[in-house]
Amino acid sequence: MLDWIAHHLALFLFAALALFLFSGYPVAFVLGGIAIFFGLIGIALDVFQPVQFYNLISRLYGSVAANPIVVAVPMFIFMGTMLERSGVANALLQALQVLTRRVPGGLAMSVTLMGTIMAATTGIVAASVVMLTLVALPAMLARGYQKELMVGTIAAAGTLGILIPPSIMLVLMGDLLSVSVGTLFAAAVLPGLALSGLYLLYIGAVSTLRPAWAPPLPPDIGPKSRAEFWRMLLKSFFPPTFLITLVLGSIFGGWATPTEAAGVGSLGAILLAWMNGRLNMRTVREVIESAGLTNALVFFIFFGATLFSYVFRSLGGDEIVTEILKAVGIDTPWEIMTFLMVLVFFLGFFFDWIEICLIVLPIFAPVLRDVDFSAHLGQGGSMVFMVWFIITISVNLQTSFLTPPFGFTLFYMRGTVPPSVTMGHIYRGIVPFVILQLIGLALAIAFPSLVLWLPRAAGLLNF
């Protein structure tokens, strides 16, 4: 009996994690604490050596603290927070409203376009959702938008930041699975834009069929002359667009690493705040504090997840996962891929993306590296597969922000919307957008060129 327990200790480790994640304790403490506890049990059962704990220090320092790629995370967080606090986002939405005023559902489309642009400047879903809610919700309520369409649009547009570069999630996943962050950024552009396009098509169709749900912008609002129109574009639209081009273009063009581009983006955000007259010591202090807290949260969870994955694999977790998949008859590449995608989707109902990708990926990635998708993906070997796999997982993880009961976007919105917008409005509003996200996932899986074309065209996947 003890021999069987010792051989399957990694399975008990994972079961304990699933149980204690619902305890309410901080995720980082749960991950690290359970890993240390089961490491001690492994020592008692002679399947884990005490000296292995010493390897954790160098592993944590080398893979996280001293990793130059991960340094990009706090700078991207700083950039997004500075753009939110400086009023750049508010001015951008006003410009987009004017540009889309003749299109059905123009304000909702403006929110989607703004979410797309903010996604390419922040990579922080919480900041994007709260900012879009505070900026766009009052205007949509005043215009008489249907509440479900209103909150669904804001929630879906805010989650684009988890996929469209510079995405913090892609930085962490690239480091976790040893894949170039620049390649992942290039691979995520078209799927992210495809999702944004699906949202726009849905909004346009609904607004055309139900014009009362999305009243147009009154003609007396906005610039009154051509000179005012161009002044608005020069001040509110072109500067953030130029910043996005500078940050992402420098990465795709090979002129800068993600870390260097993040530094340039942070400087650009400071300059935009100065241009808006909002750069002062109070703003800088608030931005640094907010970015520091967000960064500490991300890194602390990363430390705990690294410890958990190390102990899990040391206890033979890889072999157990392979055995379980074969035992239930899942052994072909497509069966494994389908199982994982369904698993990630349902985990998204209960867990955050950080917990999912830092727990699930280290468990399944070693198994998936050995499967053969060359007939579907073409030549390129395991690296091409890992890029396609990470992006499809990222598209899937977007649903975790919208699906109840623990969709974080739903909580962000509930704490920001007025009492007239109920949780029922929010739940009903996100349903069509979750369906659109699943359609986007199906497109990325069925047509891998949607993911791989840009990195191949940029020479990032040539062999």
Side-chain angles (χ1 to χ4, degrees):
M1 183 65 178
L2 284 179
D3 289 341
W4 185 89
I5 293 176
H7 180 69
H8 295 86
L9 194 58
L11 189 61
F12 289 100
L13 168 62
F14 189 78
L17 174 66
L19 176 65
F20 279 94
L21 279 175
F22 290 98
S23 66
Y25 285 100
V27 174
F29 294 153
V30 171
L31 288 168
I34 289 179
I36 293 174
F37 179 73
F38 274 84
L40 295 175
I41 295 178
I43 292 174
L45 296 177
D46 198 29
V47 292
F48 190 86
Q49 301 303 316
V51 71
Q52 289 180 270
F53 277 125
Y54 290 98
N55 296 334
L56 290 171
I57 299 175
S58 59
R59 185 182 181 90
L60 287 172
Y61 183 81
S63 64
V64 182
N67 191 323
I69 295 297
V70 182
V71 176
V73 172
M75 287 190 285
F76 280 135
I77 293 174
F78 177 90
M79 179 176 68
T81 309
M82 178 62 78
L83 290 172
E84 176 197 355
R85 300 294 177 88
S86 63
V88 172
N90 193 8
L92 180 60
L93 178 60
Q94 293 175 359
L96 289 171
Q97 285 187 65
V98 174
L99 292 174
T100 58
R101 66 189 311 161
R102 300 182 184 277
V103 181
L107 178 54
M109 288 190 177
S110 298
V111 173
T112 301
L113 292 172
M114 184 177 177
T116 306
I117 294 173
M118 292 304 297
T121 56
T122 64
I124 312 170
V125 168
S128 295
V129 171
V130 173
M131 180 273 300
L132 285 174
T133 303
L134 292 174
V135 172
L137 194 67
M140 300 178 89
L141 281 172
R143 195 80 58 77
Y145 264 67
Q146 193 224 26
K147 292 177 181 177
E148 285 82 358
L149 177 62
M150 176 177 60
V151 295
T153 299
I154 294 174
T159 62
L160 288 170
I162 206 63
L163 177 63
I164 295 178
S167 164
I168 294 173
M169 180 171 69
L170 294 180
V171 174
L172 296 181
M173 292 174 75
D175 177 72
L176 191 67
L177 298 179
S178 301
V179 178
S180 167
V181 175
T183 303
L184 292 179
F185 279 6
V189 170
L190 292 182
L193 294 179
L195 277 179
S196 180
L198 287 173
Y199 300 161
L200 293 173
L201 288 173
Y202 170 74
I203 292 169
V206 168
S207 301
T208 301
L209 296 174
R210 297 283 191 273
W213 290 9
L217 183 70
D220 59 330
I221 297 179
K224 302 298 187 295
S225 65
R226 187 179 298 271
E228 289 184 12
F229 175 79
W230 284 105
R231 192 179 303 116
M232 176 196 70
L233 291 183
L234 290 173
K235 182 180 179 181
S236 304
F237 182 75
F238 290 131
T241 304
F242 176 73
L243 179 62
I244 297 167
T245 305
L246 188 64
V247 172
L248 299 183
S250 61
I251 297 173
F252 299 156
W255 308 327
T257 64
T259 305
E260 294 166 344
V264 173
S266 297
L267 177 60
I270 293 173
L271 292 176
L272 290 181
W274 173 74
M275 290 171 57
N276 275 18
R278 299 286 295 273
L279 185 63
N280 52 56
M281 287 305 300
R282 179 181 178 182
T283 300
V284 172
R285 184 165 56 248
E286 290 177 351
V287 169
I288 291 175
E289 180 180 357
S290 177
L293 290 173
T294 305
N295 184 59
L297 170 68
V298 172
F299 274 73
F300 207 173
I301 293 177
F302 201 84
F303 288 154
T306 301
L307 175 58
F308 176 86
S309 62
Y310 174 77
V311 173
F312 181 85
R313 298 187 69 180
S314 298
L315 294 176
D318 297 352
E319 292 78 7
I320 292 176
V321 170
T322 303
E323 291 176 8
I324 292 174
L325 292 176
K326 290 182 178 180
V328 297
I330 299 175
D331 52 5
T332 67
W334 282 110
E335 289 176 345
I336 296 174
M337 188 73 173
T338 303
F339 172 80
L340 182 57
M341 288 298 168
V342 174
L343 174 65
V344 168
F345 176 72
F346 281 105
L347 285 177
F349 281 78
F350 306 101
F351 302 122
D352 189 13
W353 70 266
I354 299 180
E355 301 158 21
I356 296 173
C357 72
L358 293 181
I359 296 169
V360 173
L361 293 187
I363 295 173
F364 283 92
V367 177
L368 289 167
R369 285 183 186 274
D370 298 329
V371 300
D372 184 14
F373 278 90
S374 58
H376 185 61
L377 303 179
Q379 296 182 348
S382 63
M383 184 54 64
V384 168
F385 168 76
M386 291 307 297
V387 170
W388 175 69
F389 167 70
I390 289 174
I391 299 303
T392 53
I393 286 287
S394 300
V395 176
N396 195 341
L397 282 173
Q398 281 207 115
T399 62
S400 68
F401 285 90
L402 298 181
T403 48
F406 299 124
F408 276 70
T409 296
L410 310 182
F411 297 145
Y412 299 146
M413 292 198 69
R414 191 67 190 100
T416 315
V417 298
S420 60
V421 180
T422 66
M423 209 63 190
H425 291 130
I426 296 175
Y427 281 159
R428 290 192 298 271
I430 59 95
V431 170
F433 290 93
V434 171
I435 295 173
L436 291 172
Q437 288 177 340
L438 294 177
I439 292 174
L441 173 62
L443 290 174
I445 293 175
F447 304 100
S449 57
L450 184 67
V451 175
L452 301 174
W453 178 82
L454 187 56
R456 279 173 169 159
L460 301 174
L461 283 178
N462 289 340
F463 295 91

